[in-house]
Amino acid sequence: MRVIAFTKPFGPVAPGALADRLAELDVAGADLVVREGQAVGPANPDGIVTFAEALAGHGMSLDVVTTDLLAAGPTADRILAACAEANVGLVRAGFYRYDPALGHHRCLDGARRGLGGLAKLAARHGVRLALQLHHGTVHASAAHALMVLDGLDDVAVYADPGNQTKEGGEDWRLNLDLLGDRLACLGVKNSAWHRGDDGWRCDWVPLADGMISWREILAGLTERGFTGPLSLHVHYPTTDPVATLRAELDHLRSLSESDF
């Protein structure tokens, strides 16, 4: 397994400067968020190539590009073309939200059509697409994601136990059993439920303070021979992303008998 850094906490830093910041960490590469307010936005996908080249100069790789893409179109075409040029191994699609006003079947149908067209476009560029397990969507669990992916054999899954805790949770072993070879990346973060004056809420917290047993999950991944990247996320507030990611990385490594 390889640990890569999720770039979201760095915000709108220039691609070269972002690569320099990540070089301060002992990570193998990056999971680049292509979104407005980030180092690379949808309107300037050439920044993906610039960032990949800057990472390579530091001996790191661009393993994953995280996008908000939901369907094929000119913007998706430009982003996927840039990912292909940068030799990105995995491109994460956007979130297909569940809308109770529409109902599950209509939301599922829309997700299948959107992801299907996006997957065809990705295949033309030679890029592999992934769907993330995420709360509030029609792919919040492994079983629900597989319903969306029915017939889309080339689309992988980006698992994320932290996201699933916000939805309510799912046994990580069931995730791994159901996903099998589709599992291509794992988001690493933690969350915890707290009772407040206005009821219960689930907040992002440091790895050591949440509900998810990352020691067990890492052991299970090792036992199953998982070799894909672990994308280390920081979603709670931080004024120093490098220091925070370094602390989280040290804690993550302390939980595993494997070197990564």
Side-chain angles (χ1 to χ4, degrees):
M1 291 180 285
R2 307 166 69 253
V3 180
I4 61 177
F6 190 63
T7 63
K8 183 178 179 179
F10 291 91
V13 181
L18 177 58
D20 292 342
R21 298 299 306 279
L22 295 185
E24 300 176 44
L25 295 163
D26 183 19
V27 292
D31 179 348
L32 175 68
V33 180
V34 175
R35 189 174 291 160
E36 293 298 335
Q38 292 290 311
V40 179
N44 62 315
D46 289 346
I48 296 170
V49 179
T50 301
F51 180 59
E53 292 173 346
L55 280 179
H58 290 294
M60 296 183 290
S61 58
L62 180 51
D63 295 67
V64 181
V65 166
T66 287
T67 76
D68 292 326
L69 298 175
L70 295 174
T75 297
D77 189 46
R78 289 191 294 269
I79 290 174
L80 292 171
C83 289
E85 184 178 350
N87 295 313
V88 175
L90 197 68
V91 177
R92 199 181 96 185
F95 307 135
Y96 298 93
R97 299 288 184 181
Y98 168 64
D99 182 349
L102 294 176
H104 175 259
H105 292 300
R106 290 177 65 186
C107 292
L108 177 62
D109 182 61
R112 283 175 171 167
R113 285 186 283 106
L115 189 63
L118 192 59
K120 290 179 181 178
L121 182 60
R124 287 202 293 272
H125 286 289
V127 173
R128 191 179 191 196
L129 205 62
L131 185 67
Q132 187 191 28
L133 304 186
H134 200 282
H135 50 282
T137 70
V138 291
H139 42 92
S141 71
H144 282 98
L146 291 175
M147 292 175 66
V148 177
L149 297 177
D150 185 33
L152 299 175
D153 295 338
D154 294 335
V155 180
V157 173
Y158 184 128
D160 197 309
N163 284 345
Q164 291 184 280
T165 298
K166 279 183 169 280
E167 183 77 8
E170 184 176 48
D171 192 316
W172 62 267
R173 294 161 296 189
L174 177 61
N175 267 218
L176 298 185
D177 288 347
L178 287 172
L179 297 177
D181 293 340
R182 279 198 191 259
L183 179 63
C185 182
L186 200 77
V188 179
K189 55 180 176 280
N190 220 331
S191 51
W193 284 89
H194 304 281
R195 185 193 292 273
D197 293 338
D198 56 349
W200 286 90
R201 69 177 191 276
C202 191
D203 298 322
W204 299 120
V205 296
L207 287 179
D209 300 335
M211 300 172 62
I212 300 160
S213 176
W214 279 105
R215 186 185 300 276
E216 290 184 10
I217 294 175
L218 291 172
L221 291 170
T222 299
E223 181 182 339
R224 287 164 171 78
F226 178 71
T227 59
L230 303 175
S231 181
L232 184 59
H233 295 214
V234 170
H235 285 335
Y236 55 89
T238 175
T239 58
D240 190 341
V242 170
T244 303
L245 277 165
R246 184 180 292 118
E248 292 287 64
L249 181 60
D250 288 344
H251 179 72
L252 183 66
R253 286 177 169 148
S254 75
L255 301 178
S256 177
E257 297 179 0
S258 302
D259 294 329
F260 50 74

